[in-house]
Amino acid sequence: MHQKQPPLPGAYLPGKLRQAADNCARLMDLVNRLTQITYEKGTRKGDLALRDKLKMIVREAEEYYRTLRLFTSGKSGETDAFKEVVDFFNGRFLDTSMMAAHLDALKKEIANQEALDRDHNERHSHEGYVRKVNRYVKDLERDLAEWEKYFFYQVEPKLRRVLLDINEIVLYYGIDARSRKLISNEDVFARSGVAYGEFKKSIAYYVQIYIKLTRTTISEADIRDLINRMLQQMGFRNQIMRTRNINQVKYGEILTEIIKEGSLLEYAEKFSGGSRDALHAIRAHEDKQDKSAPDAKDVFRVLEDLCNLDDLVKKSGKDAVTGLARNERERFLFHTPGASEYTLRTVSEYLRDSHIFVFDWMNRELQKAPSLSRFMAPLLDLIPAIREFIVSYLKALAMSSEKSNQAPASIMSVEKHYISKTAAAALIDSIRRNCDGVRSALVELSYNTNASSFNRSGILSKKIDILKDSCSASCAKVSKGLSEMDRA
């Protein structure tokens, strides 16, 4: 079979590479600070043990730095280096956090030495000799507490975001490398053979890493939406659908094979950290129809969910995550009632209001002219991502409503509501994706408007310009809020 030469990469790859490189460079600066912690003072035998365990933490941070440098120094053709980055963090961060293990080992050693000191003083109390508190260890404990907060609140969320970008780049190269063997000069897409098997494995691996990174509730329909969205953004879906032997049904069969052979539903069950109740609350009032082609009914459902989040939170019930008010390591500040500072809830509300504005307009336009649905395709394609945001936001609202996740006000501090770090990372990632998505969709819609028969009077283009300005302002506030909000 003769192979067709694939098209040159479009705007997706250069833009994604620049974005990932910029974020990775900033992340490396953060990681480099992790290597600065030291413990050089102290001559007791226990000090040596502490020093060794601290060195394990520093070495792990150095491995993080060296691995990230593989990406920033890599060229567009060095795809193995990019995959090596994902593989490294998959094994040492996502499956089992070696950093957390080393950190726990050091804290256990500190506690063990304190216990030995107490035992020594009890045994020798009659001799009048008391072993003094090791002030160097106390200094180390304070430094370690700050280090731990810095790692979990700043480095880890940024690392997950960077890995999401690199994971997409690895997927792009994985498919692009096989496209020559998948599509023949006769425009036939191979549904068997080594190249087809590797094509499916590369997509399954991407989804597995995505699930581990986000740990959000994800159904089979969500996985299909995710794969479809990625293939569409990268330009591969159009290549596949244009071949002579692939139609919508065959394309769906390919997605089914990927999900089944990659055990993706089992992965979602194992690694998803989210409550399924929120997802069920959203889906409960949706009739069982094909969602492959979103239409006016889907717009109304999303608009309804965005407007009625309070009711959906009540339906979703209590969240399983509790005790965050006293768990600094696992918590993330979600809301400070009555305060004027940016919080994750404030930022989420900015995005929610922006989506309501856009979807309310689109719902009214489609009710007046259902034939506009094809023209509205760029916005309709955002529906899976918006549903993902709704689920993540609902989870955060439910979690923050738990009394044990709320720190009451005191003389020294105001009331604070917390969610888990994993829930916060998933919500922040969804917010960023939604902002990027709606801005890109409105730009595309604006271009399409000028050549559309629906815009003969010019009114439609004026309406879209208003939407663009409003969404740009909202996304600017979201970006500012994410950069300035307190995470402690």
Side-chain angles (χ1 to χ4, degrees):
M1 181 174 67
H2 298 290
Q3 283 81 39
K4 173 181 275 190
Q5 291 296 319
L8 294 173
Y12 169 83
L13 182 60
K16 181 61 67 173
L17 283 169
R18 284 194 301 271
Q19 173 183 300
D22 291 344
N23 289 335
C24 192
R26 287 192 286 270
L27 173 61
M28 288 174 66
D29 290 338
L30 299 180
V31 171
N32 188 49
R33 288 182 58 186
L34 295 176
T35 67
Q36 305 305 309
I37 187 170
T38 61
Y39 184 63
E40 300 300 333
K41 298 179 180 179
T43 56
R44 295 182 183 180
K45 182 179 180 181
D47 291 321
L48 299 177
L50 293 176
R51 203 164 291 137
D52 288 341
K53 286 182 168 50
L54 182 60
K55 286 179 179 177
M56 296 298 291
I57 293 175
V58 173
R59 285 172 187 164
E60 188 69 14
E62 290 171 345
E63 284 298 314
Y64 277 28
Y65 189 90
R66 279 193 287 268
T67 303
L68 291 169
R69 192 165 57 189
L70 289 174
F71 178 80
T72 57
S73 61
K75 302 297 188 295
S76 61
E78 297 174 358
T79 57
D80 289 342
F82 299 150
K83 189 173 186 302
E84 188 176 337
V85 175
V86 176
D87 290 344
F88 171 85
F89 286 104
N90 183 33
R92 298 183 70 92
F93 172 65
L94 298 177
D95 282 341
T96 302
S97 176
M98 297 303 297
M99 186 71 82
H102 293 322
L103 185 61
D104 288 342
L106 176 56
K107 291 197 288 188
K108 286 179 181 178
E109 183 63 32
I110 292 174
N112 180 57
Q113 290 191 28
E114 290 176 346
L116 291 174
D117 286 347
R118 289 193 298 270
D119 180 64
H120 175 275
N121 291 339
E122 289 176 2
R123 286 187 289 106
H124 296 276
S125 59
H126 62 284
E127 301 174 9
Y129 171 73
V130 176
R131 181 175 288 176
K132 295 180 180 179
V133 172
N134 191 334
R135 61 187 179 87
Y136 299 127
V137 174
K138 291 302 178 183
D139 290 340
L140 175 62
E141 283 187 287
R142 285 192 294 271
D143 292 343
L144 197 61
E146 290 300 316
W147 187 98
E148 187 176 13
K149 184 180 292 186
Y150 177 76
F151 175 77
F152 287 110
Y153 293 157
Q154 297 193 50
V155 176
E156 183 176 315
K158 188 72 171 179
L159 174 60
R160 288 181 180 272
R161 175 62 189 172
V162 168
L163 290 176
L164 283 169
D165 286 339
I166 299 176
N167 191 34
E168 288 186 18
I169 292 168
V170 170
L171 173 63
Y172 182 95
Y173 282 127
I175 299 176
D176 184 61
R178 297 170 179 89
S179 59
R180 293 176 178 84
K181 298 179 181 179
L182 286 171
I183 302 177
S184 72
N185 282 334
E186 290 76 30
D187 280 333
V188 174
F189 183 82
R191 288 290 303 275
S192 62
V194 175
Y196 181 59
E198 292 176 344
F199 164 79
K200 291 187 292 184
K201 286 179 182 178
S202 64
I203 296 176
Y205 184 71
Y206 163 80
V207 176
Q208 291 166 1
I209 298 298
Y210 176 88
I211 289 171
K212 290 180 182 180
L213 283 170
T214 60
R215 291 180 176 268
T216 54
T217 302
I218 188 167
S219 66
E220 180 174 355
D222 295 324
I223 294 173
R224 298 174 78 90
D225 287 339
L226 173 64
I227 297 172
N228 186 60
R229 186 170 70 250
M230 285 297 99
L231 292 178
Q232 179 70 37
Q233 290 178 2
M234 295 175 181
F236 296 119
R237 184 182 185 278
N238 288 339
Q239 291 182 42
I240 295 171
M241 294 301 295
R242 286 171 183 163
T243 56
R244 292 192 292 112
N245 61 323
I246 300 296
N247 53 28
Q248 191 63 48
V249 174
K250 298 293 184 182
Y251 179 77
E253 291 174 355
I254 295 172
L255 300 188
T256 300
E257 289 177 25
I258 293 169
I259 294 170
K260 182 177 180 181
E261 294 171 15
S263 301
L264 299 183
L265 290 179
E266 290 79 359
Y267 254 79
E269 188 70 27
K270 180 178 179 181
F271 288 98
S272 175
S275 167
R276 300 185 183 278
D277 293 332
L279 185 62
H280 291 161
I282 292 174
R283 302 290 190 263
H285 63 286
E286 294 186 357
D287 37 320
K288 299 177 181 178
Q289 64 177 35
D290 181 20
K291 297 295 189 298
S292 59
D295 57 18
K297 292 181 180 178
D298 296 279
V299 174
F300 177 75
R301 291 189 184 97
V302 170
L303 179 61
E304 188 179 45
D305 289 339
L306 287 167
C307 293
N308 299 306
L309 281 179
D310 291 339
D311 292 338
L312 290 175
V313 171
K314 293 175 183 178
K315 292 179 183 179
S316 70
K318 296 290 185 180
D319 193 274
V321 179
T322 59
L324 294 174
R326 297 180 177 273
N327 190 345
E328 288 191 9
R329 176 175 169 177
E330 296 297 331
R331 75 189 187 189
F332 189 104
L333 180 61
F334 178 68
H335 184 49
T336 305
S340 59
E341 293 83 2
Y342 285 107
T343 65
L344 186 49
R345 178 167 182 170
T346 308
V347 172
S348 299
E349 283 298 313
Y350 286 149
L351 180 63
R352 176 192 178 193
D353 291 343
S354 178
H355 278 338
I356 289 175
F357 181 61
V358 172
F359 271 69
D360 180 58
W361 169 81
M362 185 162 55
N363 182 55
R364 286 185 279 107
E365 294 294 328
L366 288 174
Q367 285 180 344
K368 290 187 293 184
S371 58
L372 273 171
S373 59
R374 180 173 294 182
F375 172 78
M376 297 285 190
L379 285 174
L380 291 171
D381 288 343
L382 290 175
I383 287 179
I386 296 174
R387 282 180 173 149
E388 179 184 307
F389 162 71
I390 294 172
V391 171
S392 296
Y393 189 24
L394 279 174
K395 175 179 172 59
L397 290 169
M399 193 180 299
S400 67
S401 69
E402 291 282 347
K403 288 296 183 183
S404 64
N405 296 336
Q406 299 176 353
S410 64
I411 296 176
M412 301 298 293
S413 64
V414 296
E415 180 180 345
K416 294 183 177 181
H417 298 177
Y418 296 98
I419 60 176
S420 67
K421 293 198 311 325
T422 53
L427 179 55
I428 290 171
D429 177 64
S430 180
I431 289 170
R432 287 190 171 120
R433 286 174 178 269
N434 272 261
C435 272
D436 292 342
V438 74
R439 283 187 295 194
S440 298
L442 287 173
V443 169
E444 184 176 350
L445 211 61
S446 182
Y447 283 133
N448 295 343
T449 304
N450 296 326
S452 173
S453 59
F454 296 108
N455 191 44
R456 288 171 182 166
S457 64
I459 294 177
L460 186 59
S461 61
K462 291 179 181 178
K463 291 180 178 179
I464 293 173
D465 285 341
I466 293 172
L467 289 175
K468 283 170 57 182
D469 291 342
S470 174
C471 287
S472 293
S474 296
C475 288
K477 290 196 293 185
V478 167
S479 179
K480 180 178 175 63
L482 289 176
S483 65
E484 294 185 7
M485 66 185 180
D486 185 12
R487 291 161 168 78

